[in-house]
Amino acid sequence: QVQLVESGGGLVQAGGSLRLSCAASGRTFSSYNMGWFRQAPGKEREFVVAIDWKGVSTDYADSVKGRFTISRDKNTVFLQMNSLKPEDTAVYYCAADSTVLRLIRGSGEYWGQGTQVTVSS
């Protein structure tokens, strides 16, 4: 069992930065691949980025490449978001799964509750 809690969301102006955190508990966390997703109002949830359990391999959605960076340490996954745009406004969720492919396809075994990110123009 893995419990996930996101934090770090807030209101920022376009061009600004935020760093999201996803704190994990559960003794098997280090063996899970992790991902970040987002859901804007009136839209479906979309994949943002995934990182493998080793913290070596990453996969980014085209919309965030070069602006967002995922990383992880022993108990936390981070999402550094730079050059934010109004279209990045959404609730951001982290998820854990045993395979990266399932994360990229939008699935996850465990999910957090989400944190709101609002980018003003």
Side-chain angles (χ1 to χ4, degrees):
Q1 190 79 359
V2 176
Q3 294 81 41
L4 304 173
V5 179
E6 302 96 334
S7 63
L11 173 64
V12 64
Q13 289 188 332
S17 298
L18 281 175
R19 190 191 196 205
L20 305 184
S21 300
C22 174
S25 59
R27 57 191 178 93
T28 62
F29 167 72
S30 60
S31 66
Y32 277 87
N33 306 289
M34 299 296 297
W36 284 97
F37 297 79
R38 64 187 183 186
Q39 187 167 19
K43 295 186 177 181
E44 293 186 355
R45 185 177 63 203
E46 65 173 349
F47 167 79
V48 175
V49 60
I51 188 168
D52 70 349
W53 67 274
K54 296 179 181 179
V56 173
S57 178
T58 58
D59 292 273
Y60 290 87
D62 288 343
S63 59
V64 305
K65 280 181 181 177
R67 300 188 300 121
F68 291 11
T69 303
I70 190 172
S71 60
R72 66 186 296 170
D73 65 12
K74 183 178 179 182
N75 295 309
T76 307
V77 178
F78 303 98
L79 183 64
Q80 178 66 42
M81 305 186 296
N82 299 327
S83 302
L84 283 162
K85 305 175 181 179
E87 51 262 45
D88 294 318
T89 295
V91 177
Y92 283 71
Y93 301 89
C94 65
D97 201 275
S98 57
T99 72
V100 172
L101 186 57
R102 275 208 292 264
L103 289 170
I104 292 173
R105 290 177 175 175
S107 297
E109 186 172 356
Y110 301 102
W111 292 85
Q113 294 300 307
T115 184
Q116 176 71 46
V117 171
T118 303
V119 184
S120 63
S121 57

PDB file of all heavy atoms in Angstrom, residues 91-120:
ATOM      1  N   VAL A  91      -5.576  21.062 -11.708  1.00  0.00           N
ATOM      2  CA  VAL A  91      -5.269  20.313 -10.494  1.00  0.00           C
ATOM      3  C   VAL A  91      -4.219  19.270 -10.879  1.00  0.00           C
ATOM      4  O   VAL A  91      -4.410  18.527 -11.851  1.00  0.00           O
ATOM      5  CB  VAL A  91      -6.505  19.634  -9.906  1.00  0.00           C
ATOM      6  CG1 VAL A  91      -6.128  18.801  -8.672  1.00  0.00           C
ATOM      7  CG2 VAL A  91      -7.561  20.674  -9.542  1.00  0.00           C
ATOM      8  N   TYR A  92      -3.140  19.232 -10.134  1.00  0.00           N
ATOM      9  CA  TYR A  92      -2.043  18.313 -10.426  1.00  0.00           C
ATOM     10  C   TYR A  92      -2.083  17.144  -9.435  1.00  0.00           C
ATOM     11  O   TYR A  92      -2.186  17.348  -8.225  1.00  0.00           O
ATOM     12  CB  TYR A  92      -0.703  19.034 -10.339  1.00  0.00           C
ATOM     13  CG  TYR A  92      -0.431  19.884 -11.553  1.00  0.00           C
ATOM     14  CD1 TYR A  92      -1.142  21.061 -11.779  1.00  0.00           C
ATOM     15  CD2 TYR A  92       0.527  19.510 -12.498  1.00  0.00           C
ATOM     16  CE1 TYR A  92      -0.913  21.840 -12.911  1.00  0.00           C
ATOM     17  CE2 TYR A  92       0.766  20.283 -13.624  1.00  0.00           C
ATOM     18  CZ  TYR A  92       0.033  21.444 -13.825  1.00  0.00           C
ATOM     19  OH  TYR A  92       0.280  22.206 -14.948  1.00  0.00           O
ATOM     20  N   TYR A  93      -1.984  15.949  -9.995  1.00  0.00           N
ATOM     21  CA  TYR A  93      -2.029  14.724  -9.206  1.00  0.00           C
ATOM     22  C   TYR A  93      -0.744  13.923  -9.400  1.00  0.00           C
ATOM     23  O   TYR A  93      -0.192  13.884 -10.497  1.00  0.00           O
ATOM     24  CB  TYR A  93      -3.190  13.832  -9.649  1.00  0.00           C
ATOM     25  CG  TYR A  93      -4.554  14.447  -9.536  1.00  0.00           C
ATOM     26  CD1 TYR A  93      -5.087  15.182 -10.585  1.00  0.00           C
ATOM     27  CD2 TYR A  93      -5.323  14.276  -8.382  1.00  0.00           C
ATOM     28  CE1 TYR A  93      -6.355  15.748 -10.485  1.00  0.00           C
ATOM     29  CE2 TYR A  93      -6.588  14.833  -8.282  1.00  0.00           C
ATOM     30  CZ  TYR A  93      -7.097  15.566  -9.342  1.00  0.00           C
ATOM     31  OH  TYR A  93      -8.342  16.112  -9.240  1.00  0.00           O
ATOM     32  N   CYS A  94      -0.297  13.266  -8.356  1.00  0.00           N
ATOM     33  CA  CYS A  94       0.770  12.298  -8.537  1.00  0.00           C
ATOM     34  C   CYS A  94       0.167  10.895  -8.416  1.00  0.00           C
ATOM     35  O   CYS A  94      -0.880  10.703  -7.791  1.00  0.00           O
ATOM     36  CB  CYS A  94       1.902  12.475  -7.539  1.00  0.00           C
ATOM     37  SG  CYS A  94       1.483  12.187  -5.817  1.00  0.00           S
ATOM     38  N   ALA A  95       0.832   9.958  -9.046  1.00  0.00           N
ATOM     39  CA  ALA A  95       0.357   8.581  -9.061  1.00  0.00           C
ATOM     40  C   ALA A  95       1.546   7.631  -9.035  1.00  0.00           C
ATOM     41  O   ALA A  95       2.648   7.988  -9.461  1.00  0.00           O
ATOM     42  CB  ALA A  95      -0.495   8.311 -10.292  1.00  0.00           C
ATOM     43  N   ALA A  96       1.291   6.450  -8.546  1.00  0.00           N
ATOM     44  CA  ALA A  96       2.314   5.406  -8.488  1.00  0.00           C
ATOM     45  C   ALA A  96       1.801   4.164  -9.202  1.00  0.00           C
ATOM     46  O   ALA A  96       0.615   3.820  -9.094  1.00  0.00           O
ATOM     47  CB  ALA A  96       2.645   5.074  -7.036  1.00  0.00           C
ATOM     48  N   ASP A  97       2.691   3.503  -9.911  1.00  0.00           N
ATOM     49  CA  ASP A  97       2.316   2.262 -10.580  1.00  0.00           C
ATOM     50  C   ASP A  97       3.544   1.392 -10.765  1.00  0.00           C
ATOM     51  O   ASP A  97       4.680   1.891 -10.790  1.00  0.00           O
ATOM     52  CB  ASP A  97       1.666   2.543 -11.940  1.00  0.00           C
ATOM     53  CG  ASP A  97       0.839   1.373 -12.411  1.00  0.00           C
ATOM     54  OD1 ASP A  97       1.418   0.447 -13.023  1.00  0.00           O
ATOM     55  OD2 ASP A  97      -0.375   1.368 -12.157  1.00  0.00           O
ATOM     56  N   SER A  98       3.291   0.107 -10.952  1.00  0.00           N
ATOM     57  CA  SER A  98       4.398  -0.830 -11.122  1.00  0.00           C
ATOM     58  C   SER A  98       5.024  -0.755 -12.510  1.00  0.00           C
ATOM     59  O   SER A  98       6.128  -1.266 -12.715  1.00  0.00           O
ATOM     60  CB  SER A  98       3.924  -2.258 -10.828  1.00  0.00           C
ATOM     61  OG  SER A  98       2.831  -2.580 -11.671  1.00  0.00           O
ATOM     62  N   THR A  99       4.316  -0.150 -13.494  1.00  0.00           N
ATOM     63  CA  THR A  99       4.898   0.001 -14.821  1.00  0.00           C
ATOM     64  C   THR A  99       4.805   1.444 -15.298  1.00  0.00           C
ATOM     65  O   THR A  99       3.786   2.111 -15.093  1.00  0.00           O
ATOM     66  CB  THR A  99       4.215  -0.908 -15.856  1.00  0.00           C
ATOM     67  OG1 THR A  99       2.918  -0.395 -16.146  1.00  0.00           O
ATOM     68  CG2 THR A  99       4.098  -2.341 -15.356  1.00  0.00           C
ATOM     69  N   VAL A 100       5.850   1.913 -15.953  1.00  0.00           N
ATOM     70  CA  VAL A 100       5.853   3.265 -16.514  1.00  0.00           C
ATOM     71  C   VAL A 100       4.836   3.376 -17.647  1.00  0.00           C
ATOM     72  O   VAL A 100       4.173   4.403 -17.793  1.00  0.00           O
ATOM     73  CB  VAL A 100       7.262   3.632 -17.014  1.00  0.00           C
ATOM     74  CG1 VAL A 100       7.242   4.959 -17.769  1.00  0.00           C
ATOM     75  CG2 VAL A 100       8.242   3.722 -15.845  1.00  0.00           C
ATOM     76  N   LEU A 101       4.694   2.316 -18.426  1.00  0.00           N
ATOM     77  CA  LEU A 101       3.798   2.367 -19.570  1.00  0.00           C
ATOM     78  C   LEU A 101       2.359   2.665 -19.131  1.00  0.00           C
ATOM     79  O   LEU A 101       1.655   3.446 -19.779  1.00  0.00           O
ATOM     80  CB  LEU A 101       3.854   1.055 -20.346  1.00  0.00           C
ATOM     81  CG  LEU A 101       3.060   1.015 -21.646  1.00  0.00           C
ATOM     82  CD1 LEU A 101       3.502   2.129 -22.587  1.00  0.00           C
ATOM     83  CD2 LEU A 101       3.207  -0.336 -22.322  1.00  0.00           C
ATOM     84  N   ARG A 102       1.937   2.061 -18.037  1.00  0.00           N
ATOM     85  CA  ARG A 102       0.567   2.334 -17.562  1.00  0.00           C
ATOM     86  C   ARG A 102       0.423   3.789 -17.146  1.00  0.00           C
ATOM     87  O   ARG A 102      -0.618   4.417 -17.397  1.00  0.00           O
ATOM     88  CB  ARG A 102       0.202   1.402 -16.408  1.00  0.00           C
ATOM     89  CG  ARG A 102      -0.328   0.054 -16.861  1.00  0.00           C
ATOM     90  CD  ARG A 102      -1.258  -0.524 -15.830  1.00  0.00           C
ATOM     91  NE  ARG A 102      -0.569  -0.901 -14.619  1.00  0.00           N
ATOM     92  CZ  ARG A 102      -0.149  -2.137 -14.369  1.00  0.00           C
ATOM     93  NH1 ARG A 102      -0.363  -3.095 -15.253  1.00  0.00           N
ATOM     94  NH2 ARG A 102       0.456  -2.417 -13.235  1.00  0.00           N
ATOM     95  N   LEU A 103       1.454   4.352 -16.541  1.00  0.00           N
ATOM     96  CA  LEU A 103       1.393   5.772 -16.184  1.00  0.00           C
ATOM     97  C   LEU A 103       1.273   6.629 -17.435  1.00  0.00           C
ATOM     98  O   LEU A 103       0.445   7.539 -17.500  1.00  0.00           O
ATOM     99  CB  LEU A 103       2.639   6.158 -15.389  1.00  0.00           C
ATOM    100  CG  LEU A 103       2.739   5.607 -13.964  1.00  0.00           C
ATOM    101  CD1 LEU A 103       4.128   5.858 -13.396  1.00  0.00           C
ATOM    102  CD2 LEU A 103       1.688   6.193 -13.049  1.00  0.00           C
ATOM    103  N   ILE A 104       2.095   6.357 -18.428  1.00  0.00           N
ATOM    104  CA  ILE A 104       2.058   7.139 -19.668  1.00  0.00           C
ATOM    105  C   ILE A 104       0.683   7.040 -20.318  1.00  0.00           C
ATOM    106  O   ILE A 104       0.190   8.009 -20.903  1.00  0.00           O
ATOM    107  CB  ILE A 104       3.157   6.653 -20.636  1.00  0.00           C
ATOM    108  CG1 ILE A 104       4.537   6.992 -20.065  1.00  0.00           C
ATOM    109  CG2 ILE A 104       2.981   7.260 -22.011  1.00  0.00           C
ATOM    110  CD1 ILE A 104       5.681   6.401 -20.861  1.00  0.00           C
ATOM    111  N   ARG A 105       0.050   5.908 -20.167  1.00  0.00           N
ATOM    112  CA  ARG A 105      -1.283   5.711 -20.756  1.00  0.00           C
ATOM    113  C   ARG A 105      -2.395   6.246 -19.872  1.00  0.00           C
ATOM    114  O   ARG A 105      -3.566   6.128 -20.214  1.00  0.00           O
ATOM    115  CB  ARG A 105      -1.497   4.228 -21.047  1.00  0.00           C
ATOM    116  CG  ARG A 105      -0.634   3.730 -22.191  1.00  0.00           C
ATOM    117  CD  ARG A 105      -0.803   2.237 -22.411  1.00  0.00           C
ATOM    118  NE  ARG A 105      -0.065   1.790 -23.596  1.00  0.00           N
ATOM    119  CZ  ARG A 105       0.049   0.525 -23.977  1.00  0.00           C
ATOM    120  NH1 ARG A 105      -0.537  -0.429 -23.262  1.00  0.00           N
ATOM    121  NH2 ARG A 105       0.729   0.208 -25.050  1.00  0.00           N
ATOM    122  N   GLY A 106      -2.028   6.803 -18.723  1.00  0.00           N
ATOM    123  CA  GLY A 106      -3.022   7.475 -17.900  1.00  0.00           C
ATOM    124  C   GLY A 106      -3.534   6.699 -16.711  1.00  0.00           C
ATOM    125  O   GLY A 106      -4.451   7.161 -16.032  1.00  0.00           O
ATOM    126  N   SER A 107      -2.949   5.562 -16.450  1.00  0.00           N
ATOM    127  CA  SER A 107      -3.405   4.741 -15.326  1.00  0.00           C
ATOM    128  C   SER A 107      -2.403   4.793 -14.182  1.00  0.00           C
ATOM    129  O   SER A 107      -1.236   5.095 -14.392  1.00  0.00           O
ATOM    130  CB  SER A 107      -3.581   3.283 -15.772  1.00  0.00           C
ATOM    131  OG  SER A 107      -4.568   3.179 -16.757  1.00  0.00           O
ATOM    132  N   GLY A 108      -2.899   4.480 -13.005  1.00  0.00           N
ATOM    133  CA  GLY A 108      -2.018   4.424 -11.851  1.00  0.00           C
ATOM    134  C   GLY A 108      -2.671   3.598 -10.769  1.00  0.00           C
ATOM    135  O   GLY A 108      -3.891   3.627 -10.606  1.00  0.00           O
ATOM    136  N   GLU A 109      -1.854   2.878 -10.045  1.00  0.00           N
ATOM    137  CA  GLU A 109      -2.403   2.028  -8.995  1.00  0.00           C
ATOM    138  C   GLU A 109      -2.798   2.857  -7.775  1.00  0.00           C
ATOM    139  O   GLU A 109      -3.804   2.573  -7.123  1.00  0.00           O
ATOM    140  CB  GLU A 109      -1.375   0.972  -8.599  1.00  0.00           C
ATOM    141  CG  GLU A 109      -1.885  -0.059  -7.611  1.00  0.00           C
ATOM    142  CD  GLU A 109      -0.898  -1.201  -7.402  1.00  0.00           C
ATOM    143  OE1 GLU A 109       0.141  -1.228  -8.086  1.00  0.00           O
ATOM    144  OE2 GLU A 109      -1.175  -2.047  -6.534  1.00  0.00           O
ATOM    145  N   TYR A 110      -2.014   3.864  -7.455  1.00  0.00           N
ATOM    146  CA  TYR A 110      -2.285   4.728  -6.309  1.00  0.00           C
ATOM    147  C   TYR A 110      -2.276   6.183  -6.762  1.00  0.00           C
ATOM    148  O   TYR A 110      -1.465   6.567  -7.616  1.00  0.00           O
ATOM    149  CB  TYR A 110      -1.230   4.528  -5.216  1.00  0.00           C
ATOM    150  CG  TYR A 110      -1.145   3.117  -4.697  1.00  0.00           C
ATOM    151  CD1 TYR A 110      -0.120   2.263  -5.111  1.00  0.00           C
ATOM    152  CD2 TYR A 110      -2.097   2.629  -3.802  1.00  0.00           C
ATOM    153  CE1 TYR A 110      -0.044   0.963  -4.646  1.00  0.00           C
ATOM    154  CE2 TYR A 110      -2.024   1.321  -3.337  1.00  0.00           C
ATOM    155  CZ  TYR A 110      -1.001   0.500  -3.757  1.00  0.00           C
ATOM    156  OH  TYR A 110      -0.934  -0.791  -3.297  1.00  0.00           O
ATOM    157  N   TRP A 111      -3.159   6.976  -6.155  1.00  0.00           N
ATOM    158  CA  TRP A 111      -3.304   8.381  -6.516  1.00  0.00           C
ATOM    159  C   TRP A 111      -3.348   9.253  -5.285  1.00  0.00           C
ATOM    160  O   TRP A 111      -3.864   8.853  -4.234  1.00  0.00           O
ATOM    161  CB  TRP A 111      -4.589   8.601  -7.313  1.00  0.00           C
ATOM    162  CG  TRP A 111      -4.563   7.981  -8.662  1.00  0.00           C
ATOM    163  CD1 TRP A 111      -4.869   6.689  -8.985  1.00  0.00           C
ATOM    164  CD2 TRP A 111      -4.179   8.617  -9.878  1.00  0.00           C
ATOM    165  NE1 TRP A 111      -4.709   6.494 -10.334  1.00  0.00           N
ATOM    166  CE2 TRP A 111      -4.295   7.657 -10.911  1.00  0.00           C
ATOM    167  CE3 TRP A 111      -3.766   9.908 -10.219  1.00  0.00           C
ATOM    168  CZ2 TRP A 111      -3.997   7.951 -12.245  1.00  0.00           C
ATOM    169  CZ3 TRP A 111      -3.476  10.190 -11.532  1.00  0.00           C
ATOM    170  CH2 TRP A 111      -3.583   9.226 -12.533  1.00  0.00           C
ATOM    171  N   GLY A 112      -2.819  10.475  -5.447  1.00  0.00           N
ATOM    172  CA  GLY A 112      -2.987  11.470  -4.417  1.00  0.00           C
ATOM    173  C   GLY A 112      -4.276  12.239  -4.629  1.00  0.00           C
ATOM    174  O   GLY A 112      -5.016  11.982  -5.585  1.00  0.00           O
ATOM    175  N   GLN A 113      -4.528  13.192  -3.760  1.00  0.00           N
ATOM    176  CA  GLN A 113      -5.761  13.978  -3.814  1.00  0.00           C
ATOM    177  C   GLN A 113      -5.655  15.190  -4.719  1.00  0.00           C
ATOM    178  O   GLN A 113      -6.683  15.782  -5.072  1.00  0.00           O
ATOM    179  CB  GLN A 113      -6.153  14.424  -2.404  1.00  0.00           C
ATOM    180  CG  GLN A 113      -6.534  13.271  -1.491  1.00  0.00           C
ATOM    181  CD  GLN A 113      -7.716  12.499  -2.024  1.00  0.00           C
ATOM    182  OE1 GLN A 113      -8.761  13.067  -2.321  1.00  0.00           O
ATOM    183  NE2 GLN A 113      -7.552  11.185  -2.175  1.00  0.00           N
ATOM    184  N   GLY A 114      -4.464  15.586  -5.073  1.00  0.00           N
ATOM    185  CA  GLY A 114      -4.279  16.686  -5.997  1.00  0.00           C
ATOM    186  C   GLY A 114      -3.946  17.999  -5.315  1.00  0.00           C
ATOM    187  O   GLY A 114      -4.267  18.212  -4.151  1.00  0.00           O
ATOM    188  N   THR A 115      -3.310  18.889  -6.078  1.00  0.00           N
ATOM    189  CA  THR A 115      -3.006  20.233  -5.608  1.00  0.00           C
ATOM    190  C   THR A 115      -3.258  21.210  -6.756  1.00  0.00           C
ATOM    191  O   THR A 115      -2.903  20.926  -7.905  1.00  0.00           O
ATOM    192  CB  THR A 115      -1.550  20.335  -5.096  1.00  0.00           C
ATOM    193  OG1 THR A 115      -1.319  21.642  -4.548  1.00  0.00           O
ATOM    194  CG2 THR A 115      -0.523  20.066  -6.187  1.00  0.00           C
ATOM    195  N   GLN A 116      -3.890  22.317  -6.457  1.00  0.00           N
ATOM    196  CA  GLN A 116      -4.304  23.276  -7.484  1.00  0.00           C
ATOM    197  C   GLN A 116      -3.144  24.179  -7.876  1.00  0.00           C
ATOM    198  O   GLN A 116      -2.465  24.756  -7.013  1.00  0.00           O
ATOM    199  CB  GLN A 116      -5.460  24.133  -6.973  1.00  0.00           C
ATOM    200  CG  GLN A 116      -5.904  25.229  -7.926  1.00  0.00           C
ATOM    201  CD  GLN A 116      -6.616  24.692  -9.138  1.00  0.00           C
ATOM    202  OE1 GLN A 116      -7.496  23.833  -9.043  1.00  0.00           O
ATOM    203  NE2 GLN A 116      -6.233  25.179 -10.327  1.00  0.00           N
ATOM    204  N   VAL A 117      -2.963  24.306  -9.175  1.00  0.00           N
ATOM    205  CA  VAL A 117      -1.999  25.256  -9.738  1.00  0.00           C
ATOM    206  C   VAL A 117      -2.767  26.218 -10.627  1.00  0.00           C
ATOM    207  O   VAL A 117      -3.477  25.790 -11.542  1.00  0.00           O
ATOM    208  CB  VAL A 117      -0.903  24.539 -10.549  1.00  0.00           C
ATOM    209  CG1 VAL A 117      -0.045  25.553 -11.298  1.00  0.00           C
ATOM    210  CG2 VAL A 117      -0.045  23.671  -9.635  1.00  0.00           C
ATOM    211  N   THR A 118      -2.627  27.505 -10.356  1.00  0.00           N
ATOM    212  CA  THR A 118      -3.302  28.527 -11.147  1.00  0.00           C
ATOM    213  C   THR A 118      -2.266  29.510 -11.659  1.00  0.00           C
ATOM    214  O   THR A 118      -1.502  30.074 -10.872  1.00  0.00           O
ATOM    215  CB  THR A 118      -4.360  29.266 -10.328  1.00  0.00           C
ATOM    216  OG1 THR A 118      -5.300  28.322  -9.797  1.00  0.00           O
ATOM    217  CG2 THR A 118      -5.101  30.275 -11.194  1.00  0.00           C
ATOM    218  N   VAL A 119      -2.229  29.685 -12.977  1.00  0.00           N
ATOM    219  CA  VAL A 119      -1.279  30.591 -13.608  1.00  0.00           C
ATOM    220  C   VAL A 119      -2.056  31.747 -14.211  1.00  0.00           C
ATOM    221  O   VAL A 119      -2.882  31.539 -15.106  1.00  0.00           O
ATOM    222  CB  VAL A 119      -0.454  29.872 -14.687  1.00  0.00           C
ATOM    223  CG1 VAL A 119       0.606  30.819 -15.250  1.00  0.00           C
ATOM    224  CG2 VAL A 119       0.204  28.618 -14.128  1.00  0.00           C
ATOM    225  N   SER A 120      -1.790  32.939 -13.735  1.00  0.00           N
ATOM    226  CA  SER A 120      -2.502  34.117 -14.232  1.00  0.00           C
ATOM    227  C   SER A 120      -1.724  34.758 -15.375  1.00  0.00           C
ATOM    228  O   SER A 120      -0.498  34.719 -15.415  1.00  0.00           O
ATOM    229  CB  SER A 120      -2.681  35.126 -13.098  1.00  0.00           C
ATOM    230  OG  SER A 120      -1.432  35.582 -12.629  1.00  0.00           O
TER     231      SER A 120
END
